[in-house]
Amino acid sequence: MKSFLNINTISKKFLLILMSVAIVSTVSVTLIFSAYELTSAKREQIESLESVSNMLSPNITAALLFDDQDAIQELIEPVLSRSDIVLVSVANLDGSVLAESTAPNIDKTTLTQTSNITNVITPLILDNQRYGELSIIADDSYIHDRIQFYSKFLLLLLLSTFAVSLFLSLVLRRIFLGPILYLAEIAQKITTSNDYSLRAKEQSKDEIGQLATCFNSMLDTIEQRENLLESQVKLRTKELENANIQLHEFAYQDGLTDLPNRRYFYKKLQSLIDIKNMKFALIFIDLDGFKEVNDTLGHDYGDLLLHQVAKRLRGCVRSNDTVARLGGDEFTLIIEGVNDVERASEIAQKVKNNLMQCISIKGAQVHVTGSIGLTFFPADGQSVEDLVKHADQAMYLSKNKGRNRYEFFSYAIEEQAIEKRRILEEIRIAIKEKQFVLYYQPIFDLDGINVTKTEALIRWQHPQKGLLGPNEFIPLAEQNGLIEDIGNWVRKQAIDDAAHWYQLTGKIMQVSVNTSPLQIDQTGKWVDEWILACNQVGLPRDTMIIEVTENTLMDPNSPIQQQMQRLNHHGIDIAIDDFGVGYSSLAYLQRLDIDILKIDRSFINHIETNENSVALVRAIITMAHHLQVKVVAEGVETKGQHMLLQQLSCDYLQGYLFAKPMTAEQFTHIYLLNR
């Protein structure tokens, strides 16, 4: 019943509309007709009562003239024969009732209080003389009878109309909705079965027939598109399968060498570790000289070189062993079943010998070697991370020992790596907590008495190890990006000390500061920092000296030479440190405004015993003087060296013979306040 009352289909909606229109129309007509019949019945009752009254009035008037009340009574009593008349009375002009007749079961006292009565009063007139009035009172029984009759009639009419309307609605629904419901049924079947080959029949030639035609045309289009889509899906599926194959290759294969890549290597390594009782050797290879090939011949040659190296490495191992490229010029070998040093050494030597052979690329002869590190599973590590780390450490050991060799991992290597990491962390702490100090070594004039210059030398006041020299931490700082922070501190401290000495004495004490090549950037920011720092404390010109190695200035087109000229322009002198041990060239001395040459101590050490050292020192001093450049001899430790340097007219002397490096306070007390 509930589902029937739920208007959820167009058929029910259409039937409801038709029935509603029919019922509303019928009820409206019925109400209008009922109102009309009620009004007509009331009017007819009044008219019939007036007719009866008009018929009786002449006779009653005559009887009234003769005051014959009995005659009047006889005239009015027959009127009560009508079922609706309940009271008839005749009154004179004074209102006195002369005759009256009442229907049975009628209470005269309550009759006048009833609202559903009709009272017709007719004056009794003769020759335009009024003698009284005739009153006839009727109830609504006549109207009730008429209403009952018409109610039955209207009810029958309403039922008949409802039945006819229902029949016509069903017929019209079938005629008009049948084709639409048929289309809906076909559409439902198509939706359920996804069979777009179904078609709807044209059941009429009207708009619904056109709708069926359009529906079938739409199905044709959908079927064609479905077939096309299905074929495209098959094609795309095939393409996706091929793409997945390619992606798998890309995911696990190096596109340049066709070797397994880093991802495959780590996955393979883990799978071997997971095998019970598995043992294998892991070999790390880093090519020596690969960067030079890229820089000189170009990356195309470098790529071809890597391809040739991959072929040679595959030729060094068995088919079941793994050769992978990790990236760049790094390769790895996994030699399964090998867990002894002798067999692993044979393979490493074979790899080394193969790599050493000349490789011909586009007519160019290319030579590379390999730094090789070896480790074993499970002896040298139980996890992928440990094995890779240990093999990498062994490879770096081989590179540090001169390259083109192989080294086995040992836990001593790891201990060195741990110690290196510990020192790096301590350097970071030292920078943060300002544990570094500057020592100053005086630079004397030729007689060894007067001091006008001093070299700032960094020391590390280690909390546990005490005072450490620069060789114990500067190379490590340069390798790990910490030298800039250290250099910034040295610059600031040296400038502050020089400014303090100038304020203390009113005289310039030149302070020489070593600068790491890694601090010198191509943009010249370090020059700006030096100039700004000197200007902030108001240092006079020629107070600060920056020491650089001669290798830093070799490139004639380098912007570094222009930066040196900027320093000179702002009153900061330039000194060439360790002169003679690098790529010495007279050209840059001629182009640049160099102020000081510092002869490397290796020449001074043998000046008393080696004539060649004397000749070289003499040549350097003579050349520098001709270029108006002053010369400092480093590492003067004996009186004999001092005497020879005096004979050679060296300008300044520096070494333990005269003074060792000392704190700023000691230098101030000895060479500034007491001179």
Side-chain angles (χ1 to χ4, degrees):
M1 184 67 179
K2 185 177 180 181
S3 61
F4 176 77
L5 294 177
N6 190 11
I7 310 301
N8 55 2
T9 63
I10 191 172
S11 177
K12 292 180 181 180
K13 293 177 182 178
F14 187 76
L15 180 61
L16 177 63
I17 291 172
L18 293 177
M19 290 300 298
S20 299
V21 171
I23 292 173
V24 170
S25 300
T26 304
V27 171
S28 299
V29 172
T30 301
L31 292 175
I32 295 172
F33 189 67
S34 298
Y36 173 76
E37 283 299 322
L38 182 61
T39 305
S40 297
K42 190 71 173 179
R43 186 178 62 253
E44 288 177 2
Q45 184 186 38
I46 294 172
E47 289 176 353
S48 65
L49 292 176
E50 289 177 348
S51 177
V52 171
S53 179
N54 290 334
M55 288 175 60
L56 291 176
S57 62
N59 294 329
I60 294 174
T61 302
L64 184 61
L65 287 174
F66 293 100
D67 194 22
D68 188 355
Q69 295 183 359
D70 294 334
I72 294 173
Q73 190 70 35
E74 289 178 358
L75 287 172
I76 64 176
E77 284 184 355
V79 178
L80 295 176
S81 61
R82 275 186 53 168
S83 61
D84 59 332
I85 297 175
V86 296
L87 177 65
V88 180
S89 64
V90 178
N92 58 19
L93 291 175
D94 297 333
S96 300
V97 177
L98 301 177
E100 185 179 67
S101 181
T102 305
N105 302 323
I106 295 299
D107 186 0
K108 182 180 176 181
T109 59
T110 60
L111 184 62
T112 56
Q113 300 176 357
T114 305
S115 60
N116 296 326
I117 61 172
T118 302
N119 187 4
V120 177
I121 299 174
T122 303
L124 299 176
I125 301 173
L126 182 62
D127 295 333
N128 295 324
Q129 181 68 36
R130 182 172 179 171
Y131 296 97
E133 60 182 17
L134 171 64
S135 176
I136 301 176
I137 298 176
D139 60 14
D140 57 358
S141 60
Y142 174 78
I143 297 174
H144 287 167
D145 292 341
R146 289 283 297 271
I147 290 174
Q148 287 180 1
F149 172 76
Y150 282 111
S151 296
K152 293 177 183 179
F153 173 75
L154 291 175
L155 180 60
L156 179 62
L157 178 62
L158 186 61
L159 292 174
S160 302
T161 303
F162 180 80
V164 172
S165 299
L166 179 60
F167 174 75
L168 291 176
S169 298
L170 293 173
V171 172
L172 291 174
R173 185 184 68 168
R174 182 177 182 83
I175 293 173
F176 290 106
L177 290 183
I180 297 177
L181 295 176
Y182 170 71
L183 287 176
E185 181 182 358
I186 295 297
Q188 181 66 29
K189 288 182 179 179
I190 295 172
T191 302
T192 305
S193 63
N194 289 327
D195 183 7
Y196 294 102
S197 63
L198 296 176
R199 296 293 182 271
K201 296 179 181 179
E202 297 183 12
Q203 296 183 342
S204 61
K205 299 297 183 181
D206 55 8
E207 289 83 354
I208 297 178
Q210 295 177 2
L211 179 62
T213 302
C214 294
F215 182 76
N216 290 333
S217 176
M218 181 180 66
L219 288 177
D220 290 338
T221 303
I222 292 175
E223 186 177 15
Q224 293 175 4
R225 290 185 178 179
E226 185 187 42
N227 294 334
L228 177 61
L229 181 61
E230 186 177 355
S231 62
Q232 288 179 343
V233 167
K234 291 180 179 178
L235 178 61
R236 294 293 183 271
T237 302
K238 185 64 177 176
E239 291 176 350
L240 285 174
E241 290 176 354
N242 294 334
N244 285 333
I245 295 173
Q246 291 180 350
L247 284 174
H248 186 271
E249 292 178 354
F250 292 152
Y252 293 105
Q253 183 174 331
D254 177 55
L256 181 61
T257 61
D258 295 330
L259 292 177
N261 61 10
R262 177 186 293 269
R263 182 191 297 267
Y264 179 88
F265 164 74
Y266 279 100
K267 187 175 181 180
K268 177 69 174 180
L269 204 58
Q270 185 61 57
S271 66
L272 292 176
I273 291 174
D274 293 338
I275 298 175
K276 188 176 181 181
N277 298 325
M278 171 57 69
K279 59 182 181 179
F280 59 84
L282 176 61
I283 302 177
F284 255 46
I285 305 167
D286 185 87
L287 297 183
D288 306 321
F290 176 74
K291 184 178 183 302
E292 287 73 13
V293 174
N294 266 342
D295 293 342
T296 56
L297 299 177
H299 289 280
D300 291 342
Y301 282 82
D303 292 345
L304 293 173
L305 172 61
L306 292 176
H307 192 74
Q308 291 295 324
V309 168
K311 284 184 177 180
R312 293 192 177 186
L313 292 179
R314 277 197 295 259
C316 295
V317 296
R318 302 163 300 182
S319 59
N320 63 318
D321 295 327
T322 301
V323 181
R325 178 182 176 229
L326 295 189
D329 58 349
E330 292 183 340
F331 295 85
T332 59
L333 308 179
I334 302 176
I335 314 299
E336 299 181 29
V338 174
N339 198 30
D340 61 280
V341 173
E342 184 178 355
R343 175 63 180 142
S345 298
E346 293 176 1
I347 298 172
Q349 186 63 42
K350 185 176 181 181
V351 169
K352 174 177 171 291
N353 294 338
N354 273 271
L355 291 178
M356 289 175 61
Q357 296 178 14
C358 178
I359 300 176
S360 178
I361 302 175
K362 295 182 179 181
Q365 304 301 312
V366 178
H367 294 271
V368 292
T369 57
S371 296
I372 305 170
L374 298 93
T375 189
F376 297 105
F377 175 81
D380 296 331
Q382 302 291 323
S383 66
V384 171
E385 293 77 11
D386 287 343
L387 286 172
V388 171
K389 179 179 68 174
H390 294 163
D392 193 50
Q393 290 173 351
M395 182 270 292
Y396 273 106
L397 177 62
S398 129
K399 191 174 287 289
N400 292 335
K401 285 189 175 182
R403 306 184 178 188
N404 191 27
R405 57 185 294 129
Y406 61 87
E407 293 288 340
F408 287 91
F409 168 77
S410 67
Y411 283 97
I413 299 175
E414 187 170 32
E415 289 175 2
Q416 292 174 2
I418 294 173
E419 177 66 14
K420 178 180 177 182
R421 288 195 299 271
R422 187 185 61 78
I423 294 175
L424 281 174
E425 186 59 32
E426 289 180 348
I427 292 175
R428 291 186 176 93
I429 295 173
I431 294 172
K432 184 177 180 180
E433 298 183 356
K434 298 180 179 180
Q435 296 176 1
F436 296 111
V437 294
L438 282 187
Y439 272 52
Y440 291 92
Q441 186 175 25
I443 299 175
F444 293 82
D445 58 12
L446 191 57
D447 59 12
I449 299 174
N450 297 319
V451 176
T452 57
K453 307 180 193 301
T454 184
E455 181 178 2
L457 301 169
I458 190 170
R459 298 290 186 267
W460 180 5
Q461 190 64 54
H462 195 282
Q464 287 81 36
K465 298 179 181 179
L467 197 65
L468 301 179
N471 291 336
E472 297 189 53
F473 60 91
I474 289 297
L476 199 58
E478 288 181 329
Q479 295 170 11
N480 293 273
L482 300 176
I483 192 63
E484 184 174 356
D485 291 334
I486 296 176
N488 291 339
W489 178 86
V490 170
R491 178 182 65 242
K492 182 180 183 308
Q493 188 61 48
I495 290 176
D496 288 346
D497 289 342
H500 171 68
W501 292 334
Y502 178 72
Q503 293 172 359
L504 187 65
T505 64
K507 298 180 181 180
I508 294 175
M509 173 60 68
Q510 280 194 308
V511 178
S512 179
V513 179
N514 289 283
T515 299
S516 169
L518 299 179
Q519 293 178 253
I520 302 175
D521 61 88
Q522 297 292 321
T523 61
K525 180 182 176 183
W526 71 285
V527 173
D528 297 332
E529 291 172 345
W530 266 100
I531 295 172
L532 178 63
C534 290
N535 292 338
Q536 283 178 339
V537 298
L539 276 182
R541 294 177 62 87
D542 303 323
T543 301
M544 302 305 298
I545 303 173
I546 294 179
E547 293 188 18
V548 296
T549 60
E550 56 187 317
N551 295 341
T552 308
L553 306 173
M554 282 305 299
D555 186 359
N557 299 317
S558 172
I560 294 175
Q561 295 188 6
Q562 300 174 4
Q563 296 168 19
M564 295 298 177
Q565 292 173 352
R566 285 184 59 205
L567 289 171
N568 261 317
H569 178 72
H570 285 84
I572 299 175
D573 293 345
I574 305 298
I576 306 299
D577 193 20
D578 300 333
F579 185 82
V581 298
Y583 301 99
S584 300
S585 171
L586 300 180
Y588 71 82
L589 291 177
Q590 208 170 14
R591 286 192 302 269
L592 294 178
D593 189 8
I594 302 298
D595 300 285
I596 297 173
L597 288 183
K598 300 189 74 172
I599 303 175
D600 187 71
R601 67 180 62 247
S602 62
F603 296 108
I604 306 302
N605 287 341
H606 303 96
I607 195 172
E608 294 180 278
T609 58
N610 191 324
E611 289 296 328
N612 291 332
S613 295
V614 175
L616 286 172
V617 171
R618 180 184 291 110
I620 293 172
I621 294 173
T622 302
M623 173 193 66
H625 286 170
H626 277 92
L627 295 174
Q628 297 182 349
V629 175
K630 299 295 183 179
V631 180
V632 176
E634 294 182 300
V636 181
E637 298 181 354
T638 67
K639 292 183 178 180
Q641 294 172 347
H642 181 199
M643 294 177 60
L644 283 172
L645 290 169
Q646 283 180 321
Q647 296 173 13
L648 297 174
S649 300
C650 184
D651 299 292
Y652 299 102
L653 306 173
Q654 180 181 359
Y656 283 7
L657 176 64
F658 307 103
K660 294 182 179 181
M662 62 191 70
T663 64
E665 291 78 7
Q666 291 172 332
F667 182 83
T668 303
H669 180 73
I670 297 173
Y671 295 102
L672 295 177
L673 298 180
N674 293 331
R675 69 176 180 175

